[in-house]
Amino acid sequence: PSGLDRNLYPICDTIASSEEYSSPVFAKTPEGKWLQWSPIIKLESNGPSMNASPGDKASNTLIDGGGESFLQTGEKLKCANVARSFENEDTCIYSTSSTACSPTRELGEVIIDLNETSITAFYEFGDKYVYAIRGLAMENLDQHACVDTQSRWEVEQNTICSSPTPLGAATVAALGDALASSTDPNALLKDVTVSLSCDPLDEHVDTLGMQIQVDADCYTHVHRDHNNVYDFSGWVSNHPGGEYNIQKWAEGFNGVPGWYLDYPLLGVPERKVPKHPMSRWDNNKGEPYIVFVAKLGNGIAYRDLPSNLKTNSIADHFGATAVQNEAAGTIVCGSHGEVANDRTLREQFEIRSNGEQVTSTDVMDNQRHVVWYEQGLWADDQFRQRMAFALSEMITVVPQNIDAETYTEVYAKYYDIFVNNAFGNYADIMKLVSYSPLMAEHLTYLKSKSHPYIFRKEDKRVSSPDENYAREIMQLFTIGLFVLNEDGTQVIDSSTGKPKETYTNEDIESFARAWTGFDRQAVRGNYEERRGGSTDNKIDPMQVIAAYRDPFPKADLAGGFLGDRYLRCVDLPSQSFLKKGAVYTLRGASPLSEYRTDPSQYATETDSAEKFALDTNSALYQLLHNGGQYKLTVELDEDLVCTATECNVDTVRMVKVDDVYYEFKEIPCVQMAFYDNGKQIRAKENKDLGSMCANPNLAHASEACCREERYQEVRQATKVTGVTYFYEGERTKYNTARDRCVNAGKDLCMFEYTNVSPVNDWWKKGYSWTNKDCEIMVKVNSEGYIAVVHDADNSYKNQIDRYGIPAEVDEYETLNWFKVHWDGDFPGSSPENSCAANKCKAHPNGSCVCKTSVSESAVFDSIVNVDKEQVMGQLFIGAMGPEATSVPNSGTGFTAHVVNGLIDTRTVFEVEDKGRTFFLKNIVSEVHLNGWEAVPTILEAEDAAVLQNATIKDSTELSASNARYIDFDATDEAFVTWDVSVSYTGDYSMSLRYALDTYTRQMEVYVNDEEIKWTSPNANTDIPDVVNLGDNPQNAVGFEPMSRCQGDCDIDDHCAAGLFCFQVNKGSSDFPGCNNPNGLGSDFCVDPNDVDNMLFLPTGGTNDDWRLTEVKIVRLVEGVNTIKVKCPFGNDKRPTIDYLKIEGLPSPTIASKFRNPPHFVAVIGEENSYTEQNMIDAQYETDALLEHLVYHDNVAPFLTTRIMQRFGVSNPSPRYVQTCVQAFKTGLYISGNETFGDSKYGSLAALSACVVLDREVTDEALYEDPAFGALREPILMVMNLLRSMEYSNTLPTVGLDGPPLVESYNVRLWQMDMKIGQSPHDFPSVFSFFLPEYVPEAGPALSAQLAAPEATILDMPKIIGLQNGMLSLIKYGMSDCHNGLSTYPGYRGCSDNGLYERSFGHLGRVPTGANITELVSEVSLLLTAGRLSQDNRDTIETACSSEPDLDAQYRCIQQLIVFSAEFHSTNTMQKSGEARAVDTTTASNSTESYKALVHIYLAGGLDSYHMLAPHTCAPINVYERFRAIRGKNSLSEGIGLTLEEMLVIDGNNPDQPCSTFGIHPNLPILQTLYNDGDAAFIANAGLMAEPVDVNNYRQMTPVQLFAHNDMSLETKKDDIFNEFVGTGVHGRIADVLKSKNLPVNVFSISGTQIVNVGEPGGVAPFILSSSGLPDFNAAPSISDMDTVILELNNATRKDSGIFAETWSNLLSESMASHELLKTELDAVDVSTAFPTGGIGAQLKTVAQLMKTKESRGVVRDIFYVSQGGYDTHSNMQANLVTRFTELNTALEAFVAEVKVQGLWDDVTVVQFSEFARTLDPNTGDGSDHGWGGVHFHIGGGLVGGKVRGLYPDDFVQSPSNPIALSRGRMVPTYPWDAMWKGTAEWFGIEDGPEMDKVLPMHENFPGKIYNRADLYGDLFV
């Protein structure tokens, strides 16, 4: 029990003390048997190993998907069945196992109503702490309902207010109107969004929380977050008052139900709960701890819940999990590489799980690296591993951006993409990467949603999709920034003389819409997972949620659209499900679609009549049944003949084959955005959301049978199972639907409701066709972008997510702009080409609305002089293939398949391009714009001039256009008259919007007192009067339906087909020939086509079921006309009128046309779980985008160059690049007798073979070329050392008794990114470790402008760390000794004796040389490929010859060679024979006082409008504009600072639009310094070459705007035109000061930075780490070892290798800098406590360095520090709270310390970032890359307390705004030089030539530059 005495049992020394190394426990029984216990988890094989053959991929898939384990553990283990995807479909099997389980399928469309019951269910079923928040107080006048434009009111229905607030009449009226007209459907809480005109006397804090009676209801004003529902689960563990005080509410606390939380504003003294000020709520609500769900009383779709709430149990409870009958079989799939673990092997890895973590976090974090190191050392396929690593360095995921710090498997899975496809196809890699949940989380497009989705779901919140991935996949993964020739050289834009850019920000915006909809798969079992139950699957390829995807067209990079050259859906063959190429996928027992969205009820519906069961005689049945041997995928290899019901349908979805289901998977096709002859569709009820147009030639709706003239049929249109529809969810084309209804004795109509028989389930209804024509119109904005408008008839006006026309196609609501390619100018492009000039409608926002028509015509009429480029550039419509009767005609690069010898619209062109075959129709589809001779005018009910026996009433349902309508009295002579003004005499279209809750009626129309009669459709209207039959016929025996003009009928069914019963109360029916000669009231069967008045058909209601009459043509005269609508004598139950619509006849516009854009995803969105927006179409669109990018001409040279750089050629020759580009494009590379590749475009096998076998890398002579080669990557040099020196992971023998308990370890390299600047997986940013274009700061590489990417990270700390680590490895083995590359193994000390007793392993190579000369040659061969120069060989041999034996000499040789330039580069080295001169001394005789300039760089693009926001502004309310563009609406505060949380400062600048501004609450140091006069801001500043606006910024700013690397580089250079090439602003300042004999040092505490670089011969910058400086070579093996190292890197000749020279120079400078600074820094400390790590540690180092200024002899210091994490594409607010808190704490400490040192007046701190961000948020509550923003500077000498620059007062793009680009991207009005100029003067730079050098562009900005006197005051005048 007391353990073993380690002195008696030295074996104990081999047992590691750390829990990390805990080994299995052994026990020996009395019988001598050994037992072992180990707690190792067993994982099951559920997929193929990486080496499995293609036919063996499914052999290891779990037969039941892990169902048995799922059941045995009581469902604690998850089902391991993997969702089927493109990545794993070859692992799938059809399982009939009784325990088989299905992958969790969440039904995202399920709506959860947030009420008491549902809120408590989150805790009951998911242990989640979800509450409605109450008890929030309003404290500021800004929250007053009469002041704030948005307010919330708690409603007590049918209640008299108990304490109504006394208010003025104006206030009562304003509030009453606002509340009564609120469109908020919530019955509990009404959000009002309107500016109110209240009585000023009521606008005070005492009336906050006012109460007012409105009609029968009592309204109380409450806090805008009152009764919002939040997920507090994340706050539980972060609540300062402890977990209990948040958890207690869930169980019901102190009599409070468990569904809401009372905010303890006043505290609870008896329970020691302190007061909670409202600032605490404002600062802590929101991501990541208190996550908004929705408003109490609202519904939320399951898919829109916060991720933390989407658990299996919660999904099950709310019915959001698909349930299926698994008895008939289940599709079970595995995952590649998901193999079982071997629990007998050495050293186990711990995995994340719901169990207790017993391994330390840092060890868990290191596990993924160990996997890589093991493969790098021991794997047999080293070239594959090397290629995979190269690819991973290009296509990075950054762990700090991913919530998976301690995961191993998720990173291994991602890395396997590159391992598996290293010699595969690049297109496959890009698809796998794009669907990777890690990539989506890293680049923030996870759950990115479209604008229309957010607009509909979040109360019209304006947002945009996340742009991050759309940018980076182009810039970094595929095409790069600049257009390249095939040889990799840049294409120069002749108009600018600069490299031509590959894409614009508009392209990014377009593609960002295509990256919406991606979300993780549901969780499953058998993989590493720690959040049991939540949707946190970081392993499997993502799903695409079609509802999130933007459905509108996306312009591409080639002047076309995504979807170009795809087949049009209207061109699919009839009944394509039976045609050759049709694909069916097995779904087993599940009737739910895998690719489409269907109601969840389909899964449980058992009525076989509702399923599409194939007839057993059907050819399709026979093929799919396959004798009961069901195949997972079946593709038809020939056309099939239809059988039975198959012949009646246009298409199928799920087909039933006995007891299993197959799903038909339509081939990719596109819809056209514009089409003629549209037909209106409706949802199940006329008022429901979804009244819109549909293409009648597409199966997008179903039938709803009724005759429009028959009242009862309009009220209930029918769908009859087996008669008019044949399976649940059936869609038909328009004609099919109409034919079915006609055959059933009915037709299509504008129905009120639909009814399904025999069972009228709502979820069987979906969208239905009507007989109403509708038109697709176009809305054009000031930029020429368009939006699609549906001119549809809507029963209810649009209310978001409730009624009417969906906002995305509504004329007044849509903001879904997309780019088209105009053939000429567009309406509104100029005053001459205005909306009015085109006779289009002008909207107040500057957009134009025009009518459209579509034409199709042949593009080519001959193939003479036509080539492939012309064909591909002008034909964009795909074809199924040539017609059978066509004849092929060969052209130049194409084949034309000609019919009847004519090149016309039937001709199909066949083109081969990059291995793809295109069949293209010889057709162009073009959209022509039309206007109106007079634009439509609406005359509302209240516009009526005269009302006779009629009344204007309110529409209680708010369905009337203006909430008013005209109700006619049931008397004779009722009429209404409008005065209509027109500008010309002519014909006009007239229609009326009306409602009619009775049988068909007609009205008389008078124009200028003349009755208008229209010719009836029937030609034979004059028929003899028919005598009334008299008796009611309904009880007559043998009754026959009545014919035309017979009566007396009672209902429509008494009439024959085509007639209806017209009920009147007079003798005449007003239908020709239909009257009663007796003059008595009679009801006749009439033909609606006989009428010559205006006909009013039944709608189903009187004030809520509206439609437009048929358009009638009337003649109006110039001026004022009267139009009277009169009720005929005797008609009762008259229609009610909403408005009169008058418009001119269509007229062609003067504007040009544009090509009809295609799109994949239907515009018809979700309504009651019915939608045409399907996952498969979104996936097809993703495929099209990936293909567009991967097949771009830039990909081959871009990718080839990057791969070459990773394989040791930093500056490949154009010939080399072009050769390998051809290999990539053709898929072939031949070397000798070997052929590599598969002859397919994108072959990495061909490319990689070319890269390593081309003569440029195999010709040894090239190694003598100074410019050839590269620096080597640090991690690869370490691996080279380990492999070449034969690393052994076994413990050394150290004289212990018995064998050690642990005999070997994994490769224990530790935190290599911190030690050497590089480690696998741990990329510092999306730009990886190295910048491909990086040119070193000094030396011949700079002079020659040769890229040396690896030099990016070769700063002094990294160089020292790398060399210390390799020295330690050689001497002590894998250990922590003297800054070694590993950790303390738990035993022994550090001894350089060859025993390695303190290590996890050691270099085990046994030397073969017999003497030191041979040893040097051996190590040189292994580590430098024999490149080691003779001079260095001699130096090493001399230095190591004194070692006592060959082993010691061998270790000495290794140590010295790893310092050589030949080891660190692929160059040879030619010594000059001279010592290298390194000058780090700074002698000072200057009498100048000391000054320091500190540059804080906030990396990633600071959202600076969240740092400084407008507060009090007049006369323009800039704050409201600011909040609006930042996304504020009734449901969300958006992402803008609120007035309450701002730290208010005076602007002190009359030029600003605001008198006060607000600083972010987490930056109080800036407010303090500002108020002290020690801080100032410059607003709307940015990188500029010269002043620009929205019209010329592209031409006049020749940089890659909005791109991180380019903007960061140019910001630090501040020399766009490269007048001082390769230098930065700090470096140039230092150069000028040095030339004036002012001693200056330049430091970076954040790596190598261009900003610090001066001209050759200038001031060399120091590069330090914030963690201090370790000892260098602390225990040298030989005497004067540092001298020997420097001698190895002595000066070289001009013909020596440039990269070798770069290393030697960097090493020598680093050693000198280290020696100088180490002593100084070790001798000083600071008086102030600084934060540890990050920006705080950097500023502490700066403060320490300031204390060494005298010993360094300087009078000027320049420091560069940085803080990352500002690339806030998601959760911007929460991220900036964290970042700003860190920055604030660091600045507070720094300012305090500098003041202690007495230097505050001598220090200036300037802050920059590469760019600001969009003010308009994206759908992830983040902001994307912008331009102009705010930055600050601080210092004791400043004239602070002022906001300089010019803060924008308008953030919205418009023709009148010269500085606003899309989404609130502001064009800067002030340059960076505005701050730099005065700062540089203060620092010692004089105006004139000195300033021209420091700031080469400052003269371009007269009036926009601040001088020394402006910034530092009279002291410097």
Side-chain angles (χ1 to χ4, degrees), residues 1843-1865:
V1843 178
R1844 298 184 172 91
L1846 186 61
Y1847 206 98
D1849 62 11
D1850 186 0
F1851 311 100
V1852 177
Q1853 183 181 34
S1854 71
S1856 61
N1857 193 335
I1859 63 168
L1861 299 170
S1862 61
R1863 297 189 56 205
R1865 290 181 172 90

Side-chain angles (χ1 to χ4, degrees), residues 206 288 344 348 658 871 907 912 915 1509 1571 1667 1842 1844 1897 1910:
D206 292 340
T344 67
Q348 306 296 325
D658 292 344
V871 172
T907 303
E912 295 285 335
N1571 291 335
S1667 59
K1842 187 173 185 178
R1844 298 184 172 91
M1897 303 180 295
D1910 299 321

